Amino acid sequence: MTPQELRSFCLSFNDTVEDFPFRPEISVFKVAGKLFALTTLDARPLTVNLKCDPEDAVRLRSEYEGLVVPGYHMNKRHWNTVTVDGGLPDRLVRELIEDSYDLVVAGLPRAERLRLDRP
């Protein structure tokens, strides 16, 4: 997955915006004001921090050792840093991004979730 593909995929989700609250080179993708993906698109290797169910986070780290690690500068229980251009199948990366988005949406107030479900 290229940096542009990563950016485009993150922005494809309902009500997602790209923000730069930390530094101009750090892209933060948010839904309803809540972070679900964080990356430096010009970094090599290309990585992205993604929210993850704690049990899945541990499993993914052992299954993809070195490519999925505890979230850099994030809560290590709930966030993973995923190496996007290092050998993981693009399909898996897309699933992990979608899971992160879904976890954040699930934590939103009911009215906000219903608003996001509308076409």
Side-chain angles (χ1 to χ4, degrees):
M1 181 177 280
T2 68
Q4 188 55 41
E5 289 170 334
L6 173 63
R7 182 177 186 274
S8 294
F9 188 70
C10 287
L11 289 172
S12 72
F13 295 100
N14 197 9
D15 200 38
T16 296
V17 297
E18 182 178 18
D19 194 12
F20 303 90
F22 305 117
R23 294 193 310 250
E25 66 273 10
I26 299 176
S27 294
V28 175
F29 298 95
K30 297 178 179 180
V31 56
K34 303 288 184 181
L35 165 76
F36 74 90
L38 181 144
T39 185
T40 303
L41 291 170
D42 61 357
R44 296 298 170 265
L46 178 61
T47 62
V48 62
N49 284 2
L50 299 170
K51 191 167 182 114
C52 193
D53 173 79
E55 290 179 18
D56 288 339
V58 172
R59 179 185 55 77
L60 288 163
R61 292 171 195 164
S62 65
E63 200 170 318
Y64 300 102
E65 192 173 338
L67 296 174
V68 179
V69 298
Y72 181 71
H73 282 297
M74 307 295 273
N75 179 319
K76 308 292 188 235
R77 185 163 187 255
H78 295 276
W79 290 85
N80 279 335
T81 297
V82 177
T83 301
V84 174
D85 59 0
L88 290 177
D90 285 354
R91 178 189 48 73
L92 174 62
V93 174
R94 285 185 179 89
E95 287 173 8
L96 296 175
I97 294 168
E98 186 173 359
D99 288 348
S100 181
Y101 175 88
D102 290 344
L103 282 169
V104 171
V105 168
L108 295 173
R110 183 175 184 272
E112 195 68 21
R113 289 192 316 269
L114 290 174
R115 184 184 67 77
L116 290 171
D117 281 343
R118 291 193 187 126

